[in-house]
C-alpha cells in the first residue's frame, strides 16, 4: 500500500509544479508580476549565478552560508544521500565536501548556522527531520563547529554531535529548521499540516547524546514550508514554501515567536521546480536559493540583493 501512496504523491507533485514552470515562462517573456503582493522594494529580483552541473548535488535541500568564511556556501542533499556537506563559493563553483563520520542521511532536510557550546564559535546544524509518511519517532540534529580550515584540498571528515528530538504530539514531516543567533534556541517547522506548526528546543538542552521533547510554540498561516533562515544579527527571518518567500523583520527585544505573529511580507522568488534551500549572507544584505533537479530542469543558484534606499 505504501508503494501506491508514494506513487500517488509523486504524480500529484508532477502536476503541482506545472503552474510554476508556466509562471516562470510568462514572467520572463512578458515581465508579468505573478503575485502583485510581492515587495520589490526590500530585495531585488533574482540574479542567476550558476547552473549546478555536479550530478551528486541534484537533490539539494539545505543551505547555509559560512560566517567564518563569507564566500563559502554549505549545501546538502536530502533522503538517502551521502552524509556529506558540499561546499560552494558564491559563484556556485564546487570546492569540496565535508564528511560526517558514523552517521547516515535518513532524510536531511535543512541546515542552519548559529551559536553553540563554545562562545564565539559558529556551528553548523544539520536537520535529519524529513518524514514523508510520519513513521519515525525521533528527529535527529547533527552539529559540527565550522571547520578551522576550508581549503578542502582533501575531503574533511568530522564526527558530529548528535541530538535526538521528539515531537510532543506525534510524528510528522518537516523540512524547515532555524537556529536563533540571539538565543541559540533551535526551531523546527512542520510541513504538511494546513497551518504549519512551530516547535522549539532551548539552547541549553542541545546537548550531545541527549533526547529532548520539543515544545509546541505556535501555528503559522503557512503550509508546505520547505526551508528558512535567520540573518546572523537576528533581525531578519525568511520561511519559504514552493511558491512564496515570507519575510519578517524583528524588533529589538522580541522573541522569534513574537516576530512571527505579525503579518509577513512577500519577497521576490524565481519559480523553481522544487526549491527547498534558502540562506542569508552573513551581512544580511542578500539571500540565495537553490532547487533540486526535477523533470530534467537543472538546479540554478539564485541571489537576491537588498535594495539600496535613497533619500
Amino acid at each position: 500500500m505504501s508503494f501506491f501512496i508514494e506513487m500517488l504523491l509523486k504524480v500529484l507533485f508532477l502536476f503541482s509544479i506545472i503552474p510554476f514552470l508556466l509562471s516562470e515562462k510568462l514572467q520572463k517573456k512578458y515581465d508579468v508580476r505573478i503575485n502583485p503582493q510581492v515587495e520589490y522594494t526590500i530585495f531585488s529580483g533574482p540574479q542567476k549565478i550558476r547552473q549546478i552541473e555536479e550530478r551528486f548535488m541534484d537533490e539539494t535541500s539545505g543551505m547555509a552560508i559560512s560566517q567564518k568564511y563569507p564566500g563559502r556556501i554549505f549545501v546538502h542533499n536530502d533522503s538517502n544521500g551521502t552524509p556529506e556537506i558540499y561546499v560552494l563559493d558564491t559563484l556556485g563553483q564546487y570546492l569540496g565536501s565535508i564528511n560526517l563520520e558514523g552517521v547516515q542521511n535518513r532524510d536531511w532536510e535543512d541546515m542552519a548556522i548559529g551559536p553553540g557550546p563554545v562562545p564565539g564559535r559558529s556551528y553548523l546544524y544539520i536537520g535529519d527531520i524529513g518524514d514523508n509518511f510520519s513513521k519515525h519517532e525521533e528527529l535527529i540534529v547533527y552539529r559540527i563547529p565550522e571547520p578551522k580550515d576550508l581549503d578542502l584540498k582533501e575531503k574533511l571528515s568530522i564526527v558530529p554531535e548528535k541530538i535526538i528530538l521528539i515531537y510532543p504530539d506525534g510524528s510528522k514531516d518537516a523540512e524547515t529548521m532555524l537556529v536563533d543567533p540571539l538565543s541559540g534556541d533551535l526551531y523546527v517547522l512542520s510541513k504538511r499540516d494546513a497551518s504549519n506548526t512551530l516547535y522549539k528546543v532551548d539552547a541549553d538542552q542541545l546537548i550531545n547524546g541527549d533526547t529532548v521533547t520539543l515544545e509546541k510554540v505556535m501555528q503559522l498561516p503557512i503550509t508546505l514550508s520547505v526551508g528558512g533562515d535567520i540573518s546572523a544579527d537576528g533581525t531578519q527571518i525568511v520561511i519559504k514554501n514552493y511558491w512564496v518567500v515570507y519575510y519578517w523583520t524583528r524588533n529589538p527585544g522580541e522573541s522569534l515567536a513574537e516576530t512571527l505573529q505579525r503579518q509577513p511580507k512577500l519577497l521576490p522568488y524565481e519559480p523553481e521546480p522544487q526549491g527547498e534551500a534558502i540562506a542569508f549572507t552573513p551581512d544580511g544584505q542578500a539571500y540565495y536559493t537553490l532547487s533540486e533537479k526535477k523533470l530534467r530542469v537543472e538546479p540554478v543558484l539564485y541571489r537576491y540583493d537588498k535594495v539600496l534606499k535613497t533619500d
Side-chain angles (χ1 to χ4, degrees):
M1 182 62 70
S2 62
F3 170 78
F4 293 105
I5 293 173
E6 184 173 1
M7 290 303 297
L8 177 61
L9 288 173
K10 289 180 177 179
V11 170
L12 290 174
F13 177 75
L14 174 65
F15 282 103
S16 74
I17 69 172
I18 291 175
F20 310 149
L21 299 178
L22 289 175
S23 67
E24 180 183 22
K25 298 297 182 184
L26 284 171
Q27 182 167 325
K28 287 180 176 177
K29 187 172 182 179
Y30 300 109
D31 195 28
V32 174
R33 298 304 185 199
I34 301 301
N35 190 337
Q37 296 176 310
V38 170
E39 289 274 1
Y40 286 89
T41 59
I42 306 172
F43 286 85
S44 66
Q47 177 186 356
K48 181 178 178 179
I49 301 300
R50 180 178 178 264
Q51 179 177 302
I52 304 300
E53 298 175 349
E54 286 76 14
R55 296 302 172 200
F56 50 84
M57 282 192 289
D58 60 352
E59 293 196 21
T60 301
S61 186
M63 178 192 296
I65 299 178
S66 173
Q67 293 180 1
K68 190 172 181 179
Y69 308 95
R72 300 293 179 260
I73 300 174
F74 302 110
V75 300
H76 64 69
N77 289 334
D78 61 14
S79 55
N80 297 314
T82 57
E84 290 183 278
I85 297 170
Y86 304 113
V87 185
L88 311 175
D89 64 19
T90 49
L91 297 178
Q93 301 287 339
Y94 173 69
L95 301 178
S97 66
I98 304 168
N99 179 63
L100 270 59
E101 281 187 46
V103 305
Q104 65 177 8
N105 182 343
R106 185 179 69 187
D107 196 357
W108 293 8
E109 286 292 354
D110 206 4
M111 178 162 47
I113 193 163
V118 179
R121 293 196 70 176
S122 55
Y123 290 76
L124 284 169
Y125 293 75
I126 300 92
D128 199 334
I129 58 177
D131 190 0
N132 288 334
F133 301 103
S134 300
K135 62 183 180 181
H136 300 301
E137 294 184 359
E138 56 189 33
L139 300 78
I140 306 171
V141 173
Y142 300 110
R143 179 170 63 190
I144 63 171
E146 278 211 68
K148 294 181 179 179
D149 185 2
L150 260 187
D151 64 11
L152 297 174
K153 292 177 181 176
E154 296 182 4
K155 181 186 292 187
L156 294 179
S157 191
I158 299 175
V159 178
E161 296 180 81
K162 179 180 178 180
I163 302 148
I164 306 297
L165 306 179
I166 298 175
Y167 289 111
D169 49 359
S171 301
K172 50 186 58 66
D173 188 29
E175 296 190 7
T176 304
M177 183 181 69
L178 306 167
V179 173
D180 187 344
L182 303 183
S183 66
D185 299 339
L186 183 143
Y187 294 82
V188 174
L189 183 63
S190 64
K191 177 182 179 182
R192 298 187 186 276
D193 36 4
S195 296
N196 293 167
T197 306
L198 187 70
Y199 298 86
K200 171 188 174 184
V201 56
D202 291 340
D204 59 7
Q205 295 179 293
L206 296 170
I207 299 172
N208 184 31
D210 278 10
T211 299
V212 185
T213 299
L214 290 156
E215 172 192 351
K216 187 174 181 177
V217 177
M218 63 186 294
Q219 288 186 309
L220 295 175
I222 301 172
T223 192
L224 292 178
S225 300
V226 294
D229 197 20
I230 305 175
S231 61
D233 64 2
T235 64
Q236 301 179 89
I237 300 99
V238 287
I239 295 172
K240 75 179 298 295
N241 59 21
Y242 294 118
W243 307 274
V244 176
V245 173
Y246 298 94
Y247 175 76
W248 294 261
T249 54
R250 187 180 194 177
N251 297 325
E254 276 188 337
S255 68
L256 186 65
E258 288 171 328
T259 301
L260 296 180
Q261 286 173 356
R262 293 199 300 274
Q263 183 74 19
K265 295 181 179 179
L266 305 185
L267 294 184
Y269 177 54
E270 179 75 7
E272 296 175 297
Q274 191 170 345
E276 297 184 358
I278 187 167
F280 281 111
T281 55
D283 61 6
Q285 295 299 303
Y287 61 92
Y288 286 81
T289 67
L290 183 60
S291 173
E292 296 186 15
K293 178 180 178 179
K294 288 293 176 184
L295 298 179
R296 298 186 180 179
V297 179
E298 299 294 336
V300 172
L301 183 68
Y302 289 103
R303 177 184 171 112
Y304 302 76
D305 285 289
K306 210 159 198 181
V307 175
L308 295 176
K309 303 283 185 182
T310 57
D311 297 329

